[in-house]
Amino acid sequence: MTVNEKSDNNFGGARLLTSRLAGTLAPPVDAFMRVPLLALFGGAAFWLVVSSVLAMIASIKFHAPDFLANCPWLTYGRVQPAADDALLYGFCIPAGLGVALWLFAQLGQAPLRGAMVPVVAAKLWHLGVLVGLAGILSGNSTRSEEHTSELQSLR
């Protein structure tokens, strides 16, 4: 038995050897995944905060319609869909993609090749969410309650 190995007799008297090097398989995978996961989870956290703020504004406006009444961008009919879309497209999808990417890397025990591809894709996705929310808040939306089936399934 070498210095880096220790004996463990807790498994029915059988002698098991555990190595300190066994825990070193995951860190190289984690090192390659750090930047792509930060792009996905960081953006998802940002959109979760934005969605929460917009949902709070919508809730206040629902109960006190005079709140921020002089700002046409923040009417209830614009803020509520913007909050829903920020939650669904800004938080749920990037967070789910980040979890899937992390699981694939951990289960495959292989470093990610082309690590900048998910970073660029995440940045473009977050830019698309920003443009979409700006369009909703500016009133360039044709959304109606009949077209919100994806949001009704979440509730």
Side-chain angles (χ1 to χ4, degrees):
M1 197 173 344
T2 64
V3 176
N4 289 338
E5 297 175 343
K6 64 179 183 177
S7 174
D8 188 12
N9 293 327
N10 294 334
F11 189 65
R15 187 170 198 163
L16 298 175
L17 295 177
T18 58
S19 173
R20 291 182 188 177
L21 299 175
T24 62
L25 293 177
V29 174
D30 291 341
F32 284 106
M33 297 299 294
R34 186 174 297 130
V35 174
L37 291 179
L38 182 64
L40 286 166
F41 288 134
F46 170 76
W47 288 115
L48 181 63
V49 171
V50 168
S51 172
S52 298
V53 169
L54 289 172
M56 180 62 79
I57 291 172
S59 177
I60 292 171
K61 287 201 66 72
F62 187 74
H63 296 289
D66 292 337
F67 177 69
L68 299 173
N70 57 354
C71 184
W73 282 58
L74 297 177
T75 61
Y76 178 79
R78 293 180 185 180
V79 173
Q80 183 62 41
D84 291 342
D85 285 352
L87 181 65
L88 180 64
Y89 298 112
F91 172 70
C92 292
I93 291 176
L97 288 174
V99 168
L101 189 64
W102 181 79
L103 278 174
F104 287 151
Q106 291 298 316
L107 294 176
Q109 286 297 314
L112 179 66
R113 297 194 185 216
M116 289 309 291
V117 173
V119 173
V120 171
K123 296 302 179 187
L124 287 174
W125 181 267
H126 295 308
L127 179 65
V129 172
L130 178 65
V131 170
L133 288 183
I136 291 171
L137 290 174
S138 67
N140 295 327
S141 170
T142 58
R143 182 174 176 164
S144 64
E145 286 300 318
E146 292 84 29
H147 297 105
T148 59
S149 60
E150 72 274 1
L151 292 175
Q152 294 299 325
S153 66
L154 293 175
R155 292 182 184 171

